[in-house]
Amino acid sequence: MKIIKSIVKTEVTYDDEMTNKYVIKKEWDKSKRKALILMKSAGLADEIVQDQTTMYVMNNLAKLDYGSVVIMNLFTSIKEKDTNELATENLKCVQEEVTKVDDVIIAVGTGIETNKEALKRMHMITAIFLDKKANILQIESPRGRRGFHPLYPAVKKEWKLVPFDIKPVK
């Protein structure tokens, strides 16, 4: 009989009022590669509670031999409307965190194409990733389509990571 023990270290960065969540870090094996995943909105996960998105992110990254993840979002507000000031603070966090990871995974989903504010933030954050020469990836479905959120049914249980297609700013 074997007993295997594991510890998942979690760190969450909030603003002073606890109304914005900028970063969730989860580490289960510090000797393995680190990923930063960018999604759309701050979810329900915190330092103890896991939501479905966080669970699928961790499961899939572990299967791909990563040992930790930094979860960040285009929109950080968990209680009120996002503002430009919050976006600026988020950009500062992105600049800091991207230097600590091996790969960046863009997983905002396909629905942001019609959201001007989401597209604007996406282009600002992508510019930071390019400036820092990050290895930028995205999730591809078994049928070859790209740009999915981790909860998309075709990809939630198994990810194939491929290079991210940079779309020009309109």
Side-chain angles (χ1 to χ4, degrees):
M1 182 182 298
K2 290 184 181 181
I3 296 174
I4 299 173
K5 295 183 181 187
S6 178
I7 295 174
V8 176
K9 180 180 169 186
T10 303
E11 178 182 305
V12 183
T13 304
Y14 297 96
D15 64 357
D16 292 337
E17 294 78 29
M18 302 286 289
T19 57
N20 293 281
K21 185 171 22 177
Y22 295 104
V23 182
I24 297 178
K25 294 180 184 179
K26 299 257 184 198
E27 181 183 81
W28 53 95
D29 188 339
K30 64 182 174 184
S31 69
K32 293 184 177 183
R33 295 180 304 149
K34 297 171 174 60
L36 184 155
I37 186 162
L38 179 71
M39 294 180 283
K40 186 177 174 187
S41 301
L44 301 174
D46 62 21
E47 54 281 0
I48 304 294
V49 174
Q50 283 205 126
D51 57 17
Q52 278 193 328
T53 305
T54 304
M55 179 190 72
Y56 284 119
V57 166
M58 289 180 61
N59 289 351
N60 281 294
L61 288 175
K63 288 177 193 176
L64 293 169
D65 208 33
Y66 286 88
S68 63
V69 64
V70 175
I71 299 171
M72 302 190 76
N73 295 286
L74 300 176
F75 300 99
T76 62
S77 180
I78 51 179
K79 294 192 177 176
E80 49 196 53
K81 192 172 183 340
D82 242 63
T83 64
N84 286 338
E85 183 179 314
L86 298 176
T88 302
E89 193 60 38
N90 196 33
L91 291 173
K92 289 179 191 172
C93 291
V94 168
Q95 285 181 320
E96 183 177 328
E97 295 301 329
V98 72
T99 64
K100 302 174 187 174
V101 299
D102 300 297
D103 298 316
V104 170
I105 303 164
I106 306 287
V108 295
T110 56
I112 74 159
E113 286 95 20
T114 58
N115 183 329
K116 289 181 183 178
E117 188 60 31
L119 283 173
K120 178 179 155 188
R121 291 189 187 196
M122 178 68 183
H123 289 298
M124 287 189 293
I125 292 172
T126 304
I128 292 170
F129 294 154
L130 291 170
D131 183 57
K132 301 291 184 184
K133 298 183 178 13
N135 184 37
I136 309 172
L137 306 168
Q138 62 187 334
I139 304 167
E140 182 178 81
S141 75
R143 292 186 170 176
R145 290 181 49 221
R146 298 175 174 190
F148 293 105
H149 183 275
L151 289 181
Y152 187 76
V155 301
K156 69 182 183 180
K157 294 190 177 164
E158 185 175 359
W159 289 2
K160 178 181 178 187
L161 297 177
V162 296
F164 180 69
D165 300 324
I166 307 292
K167 293 180 176 77
V169 178
K170 293 180 182 176

